[in-house]
Amino acid sequence: MGGKQLGFSDYELTTAKKQTKREKFLSEMEVVVPWQALLDLIEPHYPKTSKKGGRPPYPLATMLRIHLLQQWYSLSDPAMEESLIEVPTMRRFAGIELISDRIPDETTILAFRHLLEKHELGEQIFEIVKAHLSSRGMTMRQGTIVDATLIAAPSSTKNKEGKRDPEMHQTKKGNQWYFGMKVHIGVDKDSGLIHSVVTTAANVHDLTPAAELLHGDEELVYGDAGYQGIAKRPEMAGTAAEFRVAMRPGKRRVLPDTPDGRMQDLIETAKAHVRAKVEHPFRVIKHQFGFQKTRLRGLAKNHCKINVLAALTNLFLARRQLLATG
């Protein structure tokens, strides 16, 4: 038989009748990510030429797309390299042609992440995405829900240092001990979008960084029972917001069956209904994007990653509105 022999990617393009979940997701992200703004942010820090006169650096747009693929699919550097070789959809998204283009190896992928960490670009990516959403009418001003979640860290000492990550710590939740870090977020009570992020070791109390989660213009602040006493903290002295913090579960369980007791219970239910919105971004970060355990050592590296994940979470949660507005 003569003619051109089809490669795997050509075969997929010519025979696929139904869009896969991955293709649908990436086609949406193609539209909603503010690519040019992110490229403009990173470009001044990105090397123009390779060291020691080697091959020229990969295009910045390709490396940024690969980094975001890593976050969306929770891939290590070696797994990301393998996926680019094996998954045509990911290659196309990254703008790589298998025949004519080199595929970045795990060392190159690692170097790009180190670049973001070195220049603290994770936080700036988060700010750019917030500005992008704000410019499309998704402001986050009226009320804030504060909450925190635990992210486990490897407790194994089978590494070069022969010890656990010294910046991670143990904490007890319920009857179980956890080793790792905490991600604290401030979420807009109306849109459910993240407007602030703080990372700490797991043993830091939820109240400690709470003031950093407020933008200062909110009229209402919601929190679960772990935030009892937030209004009395000295750093909240200048805050005009009203605090609506959940009653401790033990106290709520013994509310009297009287008109006043039933009214208090209804108020607690209403508070819980608002607070539920904070679970959506945590669900996206931990389950949609798979960040349930740290792969990187140290809080600084994980803080950079969390800021990028928060930015991507906001884009994911707001994608329908963004797709509708173009």
Side-chain angles (χ1 to χ4, degrees):
M1 284 177 68
K4 182 189 172 188
Q5 200 170 9
L6 286 178
F8 183 67
S9 59
D10 299 310
Y11 181 82
E12 182 187 63
L13 282 167
T14 54
T15 61
K17 291 184 176 67
K18 186 179 178 183
Q19 200 177 35
T20 65
K21 280 185 181 178
R22 181 186 281 128
E23 286 170 328
K24 182 175 185 292
F25 172 79
L26 292 179
S27 67
E28 289 178 345
M29 294 304 106
E30 181 71 54
V31 176
V32 304
V33 172
W35 295 108
Q36 194 56 52
L38 297 181
L39 291 171
D40 290 345
L41 168 70
I42 303 166
E43 195 272 335
H45 307 286
Y46 194 67
K48 308 295 183 289
T49 56
S50 61
K51 294 176 182 177
K52 300 177 183 175
R55 287 178 168 181
Y58 290 89
L60 171 56
T62 292
M63 295 311 301
L64 174 60
R65 285 167 175 267
I66 289 170
H67 186 72
L68 298 195
L69 284 167
Q70 266 195 293
Q71 310 313 312
W72 286 322
Y73 295 102
S74 191
L75 297 169
S76 66
D77 301 328
M80 186 69 250
E81 181 188 350
E82 283 189 16
S83 295
L84 289 170
I85 295 167
E86 295 172 354
V87 185
T89 311
M90 288 194 177
R91 275 202 309 277
R92 283 202 301 275
F93 184 81
I96 295 169
E97 293 290 335
L98 189 59
I99 306 301
S100 58
D101 292 341
R102 293 175 292 136
I103 287 180
D105 60 17
E106 62 178 276
T107 307
T108 306
I109 294 166
L110 168 72
F112 185 78
R113 174 166 58 74
H114 282 174
L115 178 89
L116 299 186
E117 292 162 0
K118 179 183 175 182
H119 299 288
E120 299 181 349
L121 295 178
E123 290 180 46
Q124 294 178 61
I125 287 169
F126 180 44
E127 293 301 323
I128 281 175
V129 168
K130 283 199 296 181
H132 176 66
L133 295 171
S134 181
S135 70
R136 280 154 180 75
M138 286 169 258
T139 53
M140 308 174 221
R141 309 309 301 169
Q142 299 303 310
T144 291
I145 312 163
V146 291
D147 203 1
T149 193
L150 288 162
I151 302 288
S155 55
S156 171
T157 56
K158 292 178 181 176
N159 52 54
K160 281 190 287 186
E161 290 83 9
K163 57 187 179 183
R164 300 194 301 185
D165 189 335
E167 293 184 28
M168 304 292 169
H169 287 279
Q170 277 198 158
T171 190
K172 195 174 186 182
K173 186 177 180 182
N175 291 319
Q176 197 169 346
W177 284 95
Y178 294 87
F179 176 77
M181 63 183 282
K182 258 186 195 176
V183 176
H184 309 255
I185 60 173
V187 166
D188 179 62
K189 81 172 184 67
D190 295 319
S191 66
L193 299 174
I194 306 167
H195 63 67
S196 48
V197 180
V198 176
T199 51
T200 67
N203 62 337
V204 173
H205 196 283
D206 293 358
L207 275 173
T208 305
E212 298 174 61
L213 300 176
L214 307 185
H215 50 63
D217 294 334
E218 49 269 285
E219 296 164 8
L220 297 167
V221 177
Y222 291 83
D224 63 25
Y227 292 91
Q228 282 282 341
I230 186 172
K232 296 174 184 173
R233 290 180 73 89
E235 61 267 31
M236 297 294 181
T239 306
E242 178 189 335
F243 292 92
R244 296 185 177 176
V245 178
M247 186 182 286
R248 296 201 183 278
K251 192 175 176 183
R252 187 178 177 186
R253 277 194 295 270
V254 297
L255 283 172
D257 188 15
T258 62
D260 184 52
R262 287 193 290 273
M263 178 56 72
Q264 280 188 283
D265 193 59
L266 283 172
I267 290 168
E268 289 305 309
T269 301
K271 286 190 218 170
H273 183 71
V274 175
R275 284 201 320 278
K277 278 194 178 174
V278 82
E279 295 305 326
H280 298 174
F282 279 146
R283 178 188 58 78
V284 173
I285 289 169
K286 296 177 88 168
H287 300 286
Q288 178 77 27
F289 299 158
F291 185 52
Q292 297 185 30
K293 194 167 195 174
T294 64
R295 190 178 281 125
L296 312 173
R297 284 172 73 84
L299 286 174
K301 290 179 180 181
N302 283 292
H303 184 67
C304 182
K305 179 182 177 71
I306 280 290
N307 273 275
V308 174
L309 282 172
L312 297 179
T313 295
N314 279 352
L315 291 170
F316 180 78
L317 292 172
R319 70 193 185 284
R320 289 189 177 87
Q321 288 161 275
L322 291 168
L323 289 167
T325 58

